[in-house]
Amino acid sequence: MFPREYRGVAFVVGLFLVVQLGALALVPEFAESGYQAVENPDDPTNSLVYVLAILVMTGLMLAAFKYNFDGAIRLLIVGVSAWLSWYVFSALVSPLAAAVPAVAVGVGLLVYPEWYVIDTAGVLMGAGAAGLFGISFGLLPALILLAFLAVYDAVSVYGTEHMLSLAEGVMELNIPVVLVIPLSLSYSLLGGDEAEDADGPDGATVAGDDGVDESDGGDGSDGDDEMDRGGERADDDGADVSDPTPIEERDAFFIGLGDAVIPAVLVASAATFSPAAGLAVPLIGINLPALLAMVGSLAGLLVLMSWVIKGRPHAGLPLLNGGAIGGYLIGSVVAGVPLADAMGLAGFL
């Protein structure tokens, strides 16, 4: 990798960490405020409802892009961004006072969606969504969710390829369903000589797009794929057929917000529901299973980014979710939690 790519990888790892640590910090406040979304968080059918919502929202978004309802999608996501930001800010100040910065997030996305505005909104959305779903999904539902979405992501990128079509539509909207990873200080998502050429933004490689997953803050799918910023696809064997720009000259990567949120749901769920003893960490409640779930997801992220930098399209959630699940199970075993309890199966045996 070139130095700028190392900086980009460090930046995306930092964003993922902020989402995960933010979710862990929010979990106690959300639980105390009664934000748990379901009556029985251990019910595995909770995952099925979420998965159904993903499939429906993905279909609706593809239809919206096909029939030129892009503006409605943009307004929906901006509204959800402000709503989830309100949850985050309400953990710090009164609900009424939290409305002020939450509205500011929405206005910022509408009037000046530069990359740092999008990333800020994305981190707030991601931490809020992961925290909310972490306290609402017990261990078994969380594991089912991550396993299913890993398979779905692989099928939608390598098989049906509809995630690539979804990414084409989303990338033009400048909304926080993707995190923007600039590789150049001069990069601007909104345009500029340094960031664009005659054909569009120069060398912006999509490292992932989770679409719009209603459950994690309004985005309706998740996944990770790679394409040229102008919307041209990379072919199945990873050769970029649309952008001849060498990887070392590209100015930005894009990685789906869902790729940060979905593994963080297991991290937050483990911190909430695992019987493992808590670790003495200031400001956040965390135990060994949650900690190693974080480590595993970040290890998967590093592998993913190494592939993306080589210019090959890949689904992100198989690596990210697989790493999180593996790390969580190892952490549970090391912490002395029986596997039946770690997997949330004890109540069914």
Side-chain angles (χ1 to χ4, degrees):
M1 285 192 297
F2 292 81
R4 53 198 265 135
E5 275 74 54
Y6 281 114
R7 292 194 296 269
V9 171
F11 186 59
V12 72
V13 169
L15 290 178
F16 272 55
L17 270 174
V18 172
V19 169
Q20 293 178 340
L21 293 175
L24 288 172
L26 290 168
V27 158
E29 297 293 334
F30 284 175
E32 185 178 344
S33 299
Y35 290 157
Q36 185 173 292
V38 296
E39 184 175 346
N40 179 14
D42 294 322
D43 185 351
T45 61
N46 296 337
S47 301
L48 301 179
V49 173
Y50 178 87
V51 166
L52 180 62
I54 288 177
L55 297 176
V56 171
M57 194 62 187
T58 299
L60 290 175
M61 288 193 63
L62 289 171
F65 291 136
K66 180 177 180 180
Y67 295 106
N68 298 318
F69 287 107
D70 305 35
I73 295 296
R74 185 165 190 265
L75 288 175
L76 172 64
I77 301 307
V78 169
V80 171
S81 299
W83 174 61
L84 280 174
S85 297
W86 176 84
Y87 275 100
V88 174
F89 292 126
S90 67
L92 305 174
V93 297
S94 70
L96 183 60
V100 176
V103 170
V105 169
V107 172
L109 289 171
L110 286 175
V111 302
Y112 192 71
E114 187 52 275
W115 67 265
Y116 44 83
V117 177
I118 290 175
D119 282 356
T120 300
V123 165
L124 289 170
M125 288 178 66
L132 288 171
F133 281 90
I135 65 172
S136 301
F137 279 59
L139 298 174
L140 179 59
L143 290 169
I144 292 174
L145 178 71
L146 266 69
F148 177 88
L149 291 182
V151 174
Y152 171 72
D153 192 19
V155 171
S156 64
V157 172
Y158 304 132
T160 65
E161 299 186 2
H162 67 268
M163 198 61 67
L164 302 178
S165 300
L166 189 63
E168 289 182 24
V170 167
M171 288 304 300
E172 299 301 321
L173 299 183
N174 291 345
I175 50 179
V177 296
V178 290
L179 299 170
V180 185
I181 315 301
L183 301 180
S184 168
L185 293 177
S186 62
Y187 177 74
S188 172
L189 189 63
L190 300 180
D193 293 338
E194 298 85 351
E196 293 193 23
D197 58 19
D199 296 323
D202 184 18
T205 302
V206 174
D209 173 40
D210 54 306
V212 180
D213 188 351
E214 181 67 24
S215 62
D216 68 16
D219 355 351
S221 69
D222 42 75
D224 192 77
D225 46 70
E226 182 167 359
M227 67 172 59
D228 157 78
R229 178 67 171 91
E232 297 290 339
R233 298 182 186 181
D235 64 9
D236 289 341
D237 63 6
D240 189 343
V241 296
S242 63
D243 186 0
T245 308
I247 193 70
E248 65 269 20
E249 296 179 13
R250 296 185 177 186
D251 289 330
F253 291 108
F254 299 79
I255 191 162
L257 179 61
D259 290 341
V261 172
I262 300 303
V265 171
L266 179 58
V267 173
S269 176
T272 304
F273 297 104
S274 173
L279 301 177
V281 179
L283 302 180
I284 60 173
I286 191 171
N287 50 36
L288 192 58
L291 176 61
L292 290 194
M294 290 178 60
V295 172
S297 68
L298 294 177
L301 175 63
L302 291 176
V303 174
L304 174 65
M305 292 306 296
S306 70
W307 290 352
V308 166
I309 285 174
K310 293 176 182 177
R312 299 183 301 182
H314 287 282
L317 291 182
L319 286 169
L320 296 163
N321 289 1
I325 292 172
Y328 164 74
L329 292 177
I330 292 172
S332 296
V333 171
V334 174
V337 178
L339 278 179
D341 292 333
M343 298 181 69
L345 295 173
F348 299 94
L349 300 178

